[in-house]
Amino acid sequence: MNTNRLSPQMQEALIKQMTKEAHASQIFLSYGCWADVKGYGGIANFLYRHSQEERNHMIKFMRYILDRGGEARVEAIPAPPENPFNLTDAFNKVFEHEVDNTTAIYEIVNLSFEEKDWATWNFMQWFVKEQIEEEKLALELIDKLKIAGGDSASDESLFTLDKALESAPDDVSLPQEATAENPS
Ligand code: FEO
């Protein structure tokens, strides 16, 4: 009897996504080290925490594959890309990685829709929502740096930004939660 509730194609797509989340974790860990070396301890802390979130995402995919009777497989993770060349580049790249991950998430949603695999479709909705948050978080990084003065920001405003990111929350509110009283 086949007890695997995932199609072979879906199982492979979910394993690929496990690896992608692990890769994202390594990328943010590597960017965190880069920021640490540059003296931006707060930004590094933010990136380390984000790296941990990505690892949690990997575990969620692993857990889901196993809970559906599938076989989770841990694969080799590609090396992180080159270090960013400045903070603008770093934050732009964080945003690009998030958008790239959203695209991968949508591909699995599309596949679940095609297969009428509603369990996977339902599971993936958590990630659809999570990506709205993560893209927003990355956009806020870009905005905060722009306000601080971008590449020509003063040492003082970079110091303030660095401090702010050290204690910045990992979660942001979703548009679904906005009300007329509290639109932000
Ligand atoms: Fe796991 Fe940033 O998406």
Side-chain angles (χ1 to χ4, degrees), residues 3-17:
T3 54
N4 189 340
R5 301 286 290 130
L6 301 168
S7 73
Q9 200 188 353
M10 181 59 82
Q11 179 169 293
E12 280 311 302
L14 293 167
I15 289 171
K16 204 167 131 247
Q17 190 60 31

Side-chain angles (χ1 to χ4, degrees), residues 56-151:
N56 285 340
H57 294 169
M58 178 200 69
I59 294 293
K60 286 183 198 302
F61 278 103
M62 179 198 79
R63 191 66 264 156
Y64 180 72
I65 295 166
L66 294 169
D67 285 357
R68 298 298 288 156
E71 285 180 32
R73 194 176 66 242
V74 176
E75 297 186 314
I77 309 168
E82 296 287 302
N83 281 336
F85 52 86
N86 60 22
L87 281 180
T88 303
D89 187 42
F91 292 172
N92 285 346
K93 284 194 169 130
V94 168
F95 180 70
E96 282 167 17
H97 288 306
E98 290 302 347
V99 172
D100 177 57
N101 201 39
T102 302
T103 305
I105 295 286
Y106 286 1
E107 278 172 19
I108 301 176
V109 175
N110 286 341
L111 181 61
S112 68
F113 192 86
E114 279 166 26
E115 291 188 358
K116 295 187 170 40
D117 175 354
W118 303 123
T120 302
W121 187 90
N122 183 265
F123 169 71
M124 291 306 296
Q125 295 312 301
W126 186 90
F127 285 94
V128 170
K129 187 164 137 268
E130 180 71 5
Q131 284 309 117
I132 297 174
E133 283 190 34
E134 300 227 318
E135 286 188 21
K136 180 176 172 179
L137 210 53
L139 271 178
E140 283 183 0
L141 286 182
I142 293 172
D143 286 346
K144 282 188 178 115
L145 181 60
K146 268 192 206 149
I147 291 166
D151 291 336

